[in-house]
Amino acid sequence: MTKSLRLRAAMVSILLFCGFIAAWHLATRGSGEVAKMSPEYAALMGATATQGKSAMPGPFDVGAKLWEHIQRPFYDNGPNDKGLGIQLGYSIARVMIGYLLAVAVAIPLGFLIGMSPLMNKALDPFIQVLKPISPLAWMPLALYTIKDSSLSAIFVIFICSVWPMLLNTSFGVASVRKEWINVARTLEVGTVRRAFTVILPAAAPTILTGMRISIGIAWLVIVAAEMLVGGTGIGYFVWNEWNNLSITNVIIAILTIGIVGMLLDQVLARFTRMVTFPE
């Protein structure tokens, strides 16, 4: 039954993809009237004006350009001309550093909040004030104090990744069945050992759900952060290609961002399934 459902779902996905590509191709292949102009002006205006072609690239144009990027992903021709692989590498490295720092802070603090009603009440006002602040609102302050664009982007990733993990961890820890905790107390299991042997396994699915939400937000924010700070990264690549009026490269970057985000999400989804057991 499950294999049949997966097969049918895959077939529907393929049909939808083919339909989207066909609609995209038809929408961009239409031609308008060809304008009459001098050769010099025609060279300046390009194919959109001189041949009546659509200004939006079609799927085959994007595919051909994508193949070029795949063949040379790590070329480096200077500050504003680096391969897509290099740009992705910078972005993923920043996301991973900021994200792992958030894991190191959010999960222990979430355990403390979940296990201690006193700390829950004491820290809740601070969390409720800081949580709604947009991560990009921290960027000017980070640039002013840190004075390094790359470290500032990492800080923004850290600050946006903390809250989902912190809240999910505290909720998961606080929601562990009281019967299990009471049995551990009856057996005179210490607080630290109880946290690792009883609470952590029971709260692991909720904690990993928070981590999964955080990685999605982190990957979302890094693109906007790199557009602001510039230099390197997939966000800067998008902005630089827009300034070069290369819509084909912009579309390729958008597709790449989506695929990498999906892969990061699926990795954590896999870990979540590994620690989820039926009761």
Side-chain angles (χ1 to χ4, degrees):
M1 182 65 181
T2 305
K3 290 183 178 179
S4 175
L5 179 61
R6 288 179 179 174
L7 180 61
R8 285 182 290 159
M11 291 177 64
V12 172
S13 296
I14 292 170
L15 287 173
L16 289 173
F17 177 75
C18 292
F20 170 74
I21 294 297
W24 182 7
H25 175 67
L26 292 173
T28 55
R29 70 184 294 271
S31 59
E33 293 184 6
V34 178
K36 295 181 179 179
M37 58 189 73
S38 65
E40 294 81 5
Y41 189 65
L44 178 65
M45 295 301 294
T48 301
T50 58
Q51 301 175 22
K53 291 184 178 180
S54 171
M56 182 65 68
F60 298 108
D61 298 324
V62 173
K65 191 67 177 178
L66 178 60
W67 180 244
E68 292 180 19
H69 284 292
I70 292 172
Q71 288 180 312
R72 297 180 62 220
F74 300 110
Y75 74 86
D76 189 349
N77 294 332
N80 293 325
D81 190 11
K82 299 181 186 295
L84 195 59
I86 292 177
Q87 305 288 19
L88 269 178
Y90 277 107
S91 296
I92 293 173
R94 288 171 185 143
V95 167
M96 287 297 103
I97 294 171
Y99 180 77
L100 292 176
L101 288 173
V103 169
V105 171
I107 292 180
L109 188 57
F111 261 84
L112 178 64
I113 293 171
M115 295 177 67
S116 171
L118 173 63
M119 296 306 297
N120 188 2
K121 293 290 185 183
L123 294 176
D124 185 66
F126 299 99
I127 294 172
Q128 297 306 321
V129 169
L130 295 173
K131 177 169 65 72
I133 300 174
S134 169
L136 294 180
W138 294 97
M139 181 60 78
L141 188 62
L143 287 170
Y144 181 76
T145 54
I146 300 174
K147 295 179 173 59
D148 184 276
S149 59
S150 185
L151 292 177
S152 298
I154 291 171
F155 172 77
V156 169
I157 294 304
F158 166 79
I159 206 72
C160 78
S161 301
V162 161
W163 309 119
M165 277 190 280
L166 177 63
L167 295 175
N168 273 53
T169 301
S170 61
F171 175 77
V173 170
S175 301
V176 174
R177 288 187 177 183
K178 300 302 179 186
E179 296 90 343
W180 298 346
I181 297 176
N182 291 335
V183 169
R185 285 174 176 166
T186 303
L187 296 174
E188 298 183 353
V189 177
T191 303
V192 175
R193 187 180 175 190
R194 188 166 67 240
F196 281 98
T197 59
V198 178
I199 297 175
L200 179 59
T206 308
I207 294 171
L208 278 166
T209 299
M211 294 174 66
R212 186 179 176 185
I213 295 170
S214 289
I215 196 67
I217 296 173
W219 187 243
L220 205 109
V221 169
I222 191 62
V223 176
E226 288 172 344
M227 283 184 178
L228 290 176
V229 300
T232 54
I234 193 66
Y236 175 71
F237 178 82
V238 172
W239 191 249
N240 189 52
E241 293 305 316
W242 161 245
N243 288 332
N244 294 333
L245 296 180
S246 178
I247 305 301
T248 304
N249 278 332
V250 171
I251 294 173
I252 289 171
I254 290 170
L255 293 173
T256 305
I257 290 166
I259 291 170
V260 173
M262 179 190 69
L263 293 175
L264 293 173
D265 180 78
Q266 289 303 306
V267 169
L268 284 170
R270 176 67 177 172
F271 286 137
T272 304
R273 288 192 294 269
M274 289 171 61
V275 299
T276 304
F277 303 96
E279 296 184 8

